[in-house]
Structures are given as C-alpha cells and as structure tokens.
Amino acid sequence: MQVKVLAPTATKTEFGKVANDVTEYDYDKTFGVYQTSVQVAALLLKLYDSDRVVGIVDREDFTFKLSAPKFDYAGSSKHNQKVEK
C-alpha cells in the first residue's frame, strides 16, 4: 500500500464559514494570499501523477515541492522494537 500526502496552504472553500460558524467569510481580508480549490486540485493531480509521496506548498512563497518520505521505513533500524520469537 502506498499513501501520498498533500500539505496545502490556506485554501478558499466553504470550510472557512463552517469552521468559524459564520454566514460570510472573506478570504481576501483574512488571508490576503490563498489558493483556490481548483489550484489545490491541480497540485493534488501533480502529486498523484508523480513517483513522490509528499507534496508541500510553501506558505511563504506558495511554491510546490514534491519529495520522498520525510521518515525512512524503520523496519531494519537498530532502534526499532525487538520482536521475541
């Protein structure tokens, strides 16, 4: 099984209203810079089509970076749990 993880920045969706329990939510006023759900969907497709497993949007300059896992598989680490036989 393989899992891919997308870490976007602020994304303009209806969630802003729900999370803040309000009827109106102004992303321009609250964030100034954000991504649309269409932009995030395009990044998700880029991650999906790649051989990488992590996609991160930098919150300062909004660049998108694909990377390998942040933590290597621990199965053979000498610090992993010891299995009794």
Side-chain angles (χ1 to χ4, degrees):
M1 174 176 18
Q2 183 180 41
V3 175
K4 294 194 176 205
V5 177
L6 175 65
T9 58
T11 307
K12 185 177 182 180
T13 66
E14 293 297 312
F15 183 71
K17 289 192 265 185
V18 174
N20 292 281
D21 195 24
V22 295
T23 56
E24 296 297 321
Y25 190 80
D26 188 342
Y27 275 84
D28 293 319
K29 184 177 177 182
T30 306
F31 289 100
V33 179
Y34 54 83
Q35 293 179 308
T36 67
S37 56
V38 171
Q39 290 170 315
V40 173
L43 298 177
L44 183 59
L45 284 173
K46 190 179 284 190
L47 172 61
Y48 179 80
D49 290 337
S50 77
D51 62 343
R52 300 301 181 136
V53 297
V54 178
I56 301 172
V57 179
D58 184 290
R59 72 173 74 181
E60 299 304 320
D61 64 12
F62 279 62
T63 57
F64 184 60
K65 298 175 181 96
L66 295 169
S67 74
K70 296 296 180 181
F71 298 100
D72 293 329
Y73 176 66
S76 60
S77 171
K78 66 180 178 179
H79 300 292
N80 201 12
Q81 67 181 354
K82 301 200 179 2
V83 179
E84 292 185 32
K85 296 183 183 197

